[in-house]
């Protein structure tokens, strides 16, 4: 057997695999002899069927199967030994022209080669948001806590700041939703005016256009689907079943202990510091995700290289469960091109900077994850033996291993970007972050 590679250009090559009769004849003969021993053909005892008859009936199929096995095994071996960095899989070039009645065969395969390129993570600065909890947010959080732990007092009619429990109905949109709203949820002045002074048992007609502070509240309070929630403009009936106001809880030691445990927080100042600390930890996760997304987009945009587009479109057309038309394959390539580019960029960064995950790291991460889950159920001090046993069970599940591995790889890439990319830190409030980052 002989395999040769001919480069068409820097991104495309053709492999030619020459298979001679001596490469496959012993294996084909062995398989046919086994067929002969086990064949059940009327008129012949088992194991005494003439070899010529077996060859006539099964010879071509066995030949094709064994040559293809030989072909695939040696293709894989060649690509590995030659360290060829290919995209997709080799595509047969002349499979319809093979004469299976011949003794020797020549197969050709198109290869798509991975491009050569450099990655510069410092080429363009990316904003790294530091989200802070401002005084307004802290005051609102304290107010929310005081309301949440406050005393509920029943009322006879609606006033500003009250909670109203009732049922929204509409035949037009098949709405029948029991819910609790506050007057602060209402945006529309006319709708708010209609509710003011209303009593238990009253049925109020309300226009949904501009009713709530956000159209997504139509899902929450009216129970409509997401697509209906945006721009909903109908009339609904709201039957008032209960009116309450909340007497806000006092900021005292009893409340602080209820929130954080005995003696952890002892004053309003410490309460706000604790809220600020917890909030900014959560904000960091959002900031990190935004940073990761932005660095990825920047690398895709600023790392220039060509791809074997025609080869990849052909490969996409035949690699799925269902073969795609040329137009479908082109469309799928357009959708997946950015993802493929980043796979190549990420692969290069991982290889050059040793950003891989070891089994010990997988195990350690699993144990920390287990400890966190056990702590939620009051088991704060599990033994190493317990952790090892549960971790072993988790790591025997390939899907779990894949999920944890991907999470650790993402964490490593994020840390690498934080330490090596060109970043400009910008301190913002949460509201400003949402506005700048997503609007």
């Amino acid at each position: 057997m002989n395999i040769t590679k001919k480069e068409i250009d820097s991104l495309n090559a053709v492999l030619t695999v020459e298979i001679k009769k001596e490469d496959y004849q012993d294996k084909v003969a062995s398989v046919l002899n086994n067929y002969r021993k086990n064949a059940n053909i009327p008129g012949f005892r088992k194991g005494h069927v003439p070899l010529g008859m077996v060859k006539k009936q099964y010879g071509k199929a066995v030949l094709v199967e064994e040559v293809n096995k030989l072909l695939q095994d040696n293709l894989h071996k060649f690509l590995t030994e030659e360290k060829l960095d290919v995209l997709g899989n080799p595509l047969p070039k002349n499979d319809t022209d093979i004469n299976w009645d011949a003794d020797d065969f020549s197969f050709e395969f198109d290869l798509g080669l991975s491009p050569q390129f450099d990655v510069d993570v410092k080429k363009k600065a990316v904003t790294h948001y530091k989200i802070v909890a401002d005084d307004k947010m802290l005051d609102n959080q304290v107010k929310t806590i005081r309301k949440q732990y406050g005393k509920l007092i029943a009322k006879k009619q609606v006033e500003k700041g009250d909670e109203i429990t009732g049922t929204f109905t509409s035949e037009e949109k098949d709405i029948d939703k029991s819910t609790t709203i506050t007057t602060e949820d209402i945006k529309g002045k006319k709708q708010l005016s209609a509710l003011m002074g209303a009593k238990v048992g009253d049925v109020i007609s309300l226009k949904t256009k501009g009713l709530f502070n956000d159209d997504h509240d139509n899902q929450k309070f009216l129970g409509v689907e997401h697509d209906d929630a945006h721009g909903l403009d109908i009339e609904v009936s709201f039957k008032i079943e209960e009116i309450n106001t909340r007497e806000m809880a006092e900021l005292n030691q009893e409340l602080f202990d209820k929130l954080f445990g005995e003696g952890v927080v002892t004053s309003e100042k410490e309460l706000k510091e604790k809220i600020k600390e917890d909030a900014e930890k959560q904000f960091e996760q959002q900031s990190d995700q935004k940073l990761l997304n932005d660095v990825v987009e920047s690398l895709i945009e600023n790392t220039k290289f060509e791809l074997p587009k025609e080869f990849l479109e052909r490969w996409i057309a035949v690699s799925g469960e269902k073969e795609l038309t040329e137009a479908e394959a082109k469309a799928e390539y357009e959708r997946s091109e950015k993802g493929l580019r980043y796979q190549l960029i990420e692969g290069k960064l991982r290889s050059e900077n040793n950003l891989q995950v070891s089994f010990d790291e997988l195990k350690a991460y699993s144990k920390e994850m287990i400890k966190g889950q056990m702590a939620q159920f009051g088991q704060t001090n599990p033994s190493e033996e317990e952790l090892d046993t549960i971790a072993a069970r988790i790591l025997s599940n390939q899907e779990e291993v894949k999920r944890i591995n991907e999470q650790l790889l993402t964490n490593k890439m994020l840390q690498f970007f934080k330490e090596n990319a060109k970043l400009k830190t910008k301190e913002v409030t949460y509201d400003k972050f949402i506005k700048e980052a997503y609007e």
Side-chain angles (χ1 to χ4, degrees), residues 211 266 392:
L211 174 59
T266 60

Side-chain angles (χ1 to χ4, degrees), residues 79 83-90 111-114 311 344:
L79 294 175
K83 297 180 180 177
L84 292 180
D85 197 359
V86 299
L87 301 178
N89 294 314
L111 294 183
L113 305 177
S114 186
F311 170 85
L344 293 171

Side-chain angles (χ1 to χ4, degrees), residues 298-335:
S298 178
L299 287 175
I300 292 171
E301 183 180 345
N302 293 290
T303 307
K304 304 297 183 184
F305 54 83
E306 296 296 320
L307 289 169
K309 181 180 177 181
E310 291 183 6
F311 170 85
L312 288 170
E313 287 176 353
R314 285 173 51 214
W315 176 70
I316 287 170
V318 299
S319 62
E321 291 182 8
K322 175 188 173 186
E323 189 164 335
L324 303 180
T325 65
E326 184 177 339
E328 288 172 335
K330 284 180 180 293
E332 182 58 32
Y333 174 79
E334 294 298 326
R335 283 191 293 269

Side-chain angles (χ1 to χ4, degrees), residues 113-149:
L113 305 177
S114 186
Q116 299 297 310
F117 59 92
D118 294 315
V119 183
D120 183 2
V121 295
K122 297 182 182 293
K123 188 171 184 178
K124 189 173 181 181
V126 174
T127 300
H128 185 198
Y129 290 96
K130 177 176 172 53
I131 310 170
V132 296
D134 61 350
D135 290 341
K136 180 182 176 184
M137 171 176 278
L138 296 177
D139 288 341
N140 285 337
Q141 283 294 98
V142 170
K143 184 178 177 183
T144 299
I145 289 170
R146 292 184 66 193
K147 278 188 174 182
Q148 183 180 347
Y149 288 89

Side-chain angles (χ1 to χ4, degrees), residues 64-94:
V64 172
E65 183 177 358
E66 293 305 318
V67 168
N68 275 315
K69 282 183 185 176
L70 191 65
L71 183 61
Q72 294 305 319
D73 289 346
N74 282 276
L75 261 180
H76 177 73
K77 184 179 177 183
F78 180 84
L79 294 175
T80 302
E81 289 178 349
E82 295 295 317
K83 297 180 180 177
L84 292 180
D85 197 359
V86 299
L87 301 178
N89 294 314
L91 291 178
K93 189 177 176 69
N94 67 330

